[in-house]
Amino acid sequence: MTNDSDRLPSRSPAEPAPPAGIDRREVIRRVGLLLGGAAFVGGTTLLDACVGDAPANGTATGGTGRTIGTFTVKDQAFLDEIADTILPTTGKSPGAKAAGTGTFMAVMVTDCYTPADQAIFRAGMSTVNEACQTLHKTSFMEATPTQRNAVLVQLDREQHDYMRGKKAEDPTHYFRMMKELTMLGFFTSEIGYTQAMRYKETPGAYQPCIPYAPGETIWASHA
């Protein structure tokens, strides 16, 4: 696949931090718009947590090299590779792995997802690996970037068809969750905000209309 102060609950040292001057609660709202305006899984819990001081359930204990909830270091590395396949490194910015998106996903699922959604997400991680075994006869971690991309493109088609036909009471597809968390984690990270997008901490006077040259990155929202 190709491209595209409030606090996060129990933010670990490795978790992407918002640039100075950015209100993360507002960023989360705007990333929701980036995702098409739809509420994402765990978003309500995350916004509620931004108001208070405590995480949703206080179970996240992780950071680089540490377990987060039930997510081992290997699990976080696995999520990093999924995220980096969705948002890989480009000529303009590092990819989602460099932004620590795998760790971010583990924190979000642990602190903001319901037990039912956590189970769907964890089962989905196994399904991604099984899909890679079926398609390429190798594990997702040992697959080439091209093989990983083919697997995720196939799963993205499945989630798109499922989400389009699902009823309100049906759960969200696991790969939809992974895509949402990848987008949210990357575009609220320092790398996403300052390298994938253009960001000025002190933007100056408001200018509603400025010239745009094709190929330029979008401006980051400023709180």
Side-chain angles (χ1 to χ4, degrees):
M1 303 183 79
T2 57
N3 313 354
D4 136 31
S5 157
D6 293 346
R7 303 186 306 178
L8 260 185
S10 65
R11 183 164 63 81
S12 69
E15 185 184 349
I22 294 299
D23 182 320
R24 194 150 198 169
R25 181 183 174 87
E26 182 60 23
V27 171
I28 291 165
R29 291 187 189 282
R30 295 178 185 184
V31 170
L33 294 176
L34 188 67
L35 292 168
F40 54 87
V41 178
T44 301
T45 304
L46 177 59
L47 287 173
D48 289 345
C50 286
V51 176
D53 295 328
N57 58 26
T59 57
T61 59
T64 299
R66 300 181 62 184
T67 295
I68 298 175
T70 62
F71 291 89
T72 65
V73 174
K74 287 186 177 180
D75 289 334
Q76 295 168 52
F78 183 79
L79 293 174
D80 262 339
E81 298 303 331
I82 290 176
D84 211 59
T85 303
I86 295 172
L87 292 176
T89 297
T90 69
K92 296 181 179 179
S93 79
K97 182 166 63 175
T101 306
T103 298
F104 174 86
M105 294 166 79
V107 171
M108 279 291 294
V109 173
T110 300
D111 277 356
C112 298
Y113 277 26
T114 65
D117 286 333
Q118 289 178 7
I120 292 171
F121 186 93
R122 292 307 304 252
M125 291 174 63
S126 298
T127 303
V128 170
N129 207 41
E130 292 166 2
C132 194
Q133 289 283 0
T134 299
L135 196 59
H136 302 300
K137 310 303 180 189
T138 188
S139 68
F140 190 81
M141 293 298 281
E142 294 177 347
T144 66
T146 299
Q147 290 174 326
R148 292 175 178 175
N149 184 67
V151 171
L152 297 196
V153 166
Q154 175 179 293
L155 296 179
D156 192 44
R157 291 197 190 101
E158 291 179 10
Q159 74 85 17
H160 185 268
D161 291 343
Y162 171 85
M163 294 297 291
R164 188 168 53 184
K166 90 176 189 71
K167 299 176 182 177
E169 63 271 23
D170 293 335
T172 297
H173 192 282
Y174 68 90
F175 191 66
R176 174 75 179 192
M177 298 177 183
M178 293 175 181
K179 285 186 66 178
E180 290 176 347
L181 292 179
T182 296
M183 296 282 285
L184 181 63
F186 182 74
F187 286 107
T188 56
S189 73
E190 182 173 352
I191 287 176
Y193 228 79
T194 61
Q195 297 186 52
M197 296 185 285
R198 288 180 287 174
Y199 172 75
K200 286 186 179 180
E201 184 173 352
T202 307
Y206 175 66
Q207 300 179 47
C209 297
I210 59 175
Y212 171 75
E216 287 185 338
T217 54
I218 63 172
W219 285 99
S221 301
H222 200 286

